[in-house]
Amino acid sequence: MSKPYHHGALRSALIDAGVDLARHGGPGRVVLREVARTAQVSHSAAYRHFTDREALLAEVACRARAELAAEMSLRLRNAREPRERLHAVGSAYIDFARGQPGLFRTAFGAHATPAEGTDSGAEPFAILGGVLDELHAVGLLSAERRPGAELAAWSAVHGLACLLLDGPLAADPNGAKFAIGRVHELIERGLLD
């Protein structure tokens, strides 16, 4: 159970409680009454900060994407070569999905966009775009292949992550390892010169 909130920080405490519930059960666990109970406040108090469940879920999804972005950034700090950096962001994405399935499902579920002015931190898609820009700058990604490269790479890695969580690869560790290697190889071969 979360710690009780401090005066003036109820909104943040509710989001923290929502993140905790999502971490352990995905977006289906993020319910305003349960979030309020976890934060040790009345459910009516939660409605003062969030008009409905979707508004809270959008904030929790934003926080989940920020955690993924932090993991991607951490991996990038340890990767020096441009190709290694592309592999690092893809590996971080897949590892996050496998290690934090509840947050991963929440991060990319069909939720409303957070309210304007919300500080969402770095977005995973923007981090991938920055790595692709680096590859273009050093001549490994041609100008012709650069437009839309984020969508191609992201789709491949996201699709694989979903297959690893909920598809036929979930119960096959050998198949998963092979698929991860192949997807990284295919992205590199498809995008880089």
Side-chain angles (χ1 to χ4, degrees), residues 70-108:
E71 182 59 32
M72 292 168 79
S73 296
L74 179 65
R75 300 274 182 101
L76 283 175
R77 283 196 284 277
N78 297 319
R80 301 290 177 233
E81 299 298 318
R83 289 176 190 267
E84 182 185 7
R85 292 173 66 74
L86 180 61
H87 189 273
V89 295
S91 294
Y93 195 95
I94 291 168
D95 291 347
F96 184 85
R98 295 175 88 189
Q100 297 284 345
L103 283 184
F104 179 79
R105 288 181 181 110
T106 304
F108 298 107

Side-chain angles (χ1 to χ4, degrees), residues 63 125 173:
R63 190 82 70 81
F125 191 70

Side-chain angles (χ1 to χ4, degrees), residues 101-162:
L103 283 184
F104 179 79
R105 288 181 181 110
T106 304
F108 298 107
H111 313 299
T113 306
E116 202 146 318
T118 299
D119 179 19
S120 62
E123 286 285 334
F125 191 70
I127 292 171
L128 171 61
V131 170
L132 293 170
D133 288 342
E134 292 170 12
L135 289 162
H136 175 66
V138 297
L140 291 173
L141 177 58
S142 68
E144 295 78 34
R145 289 185 180 163
R146 179 60 190 94
E150 292 96 337
L151 292 176
W154 187 30
S155 296
V157 174
H158 185 82
L160 176 59
C162 291

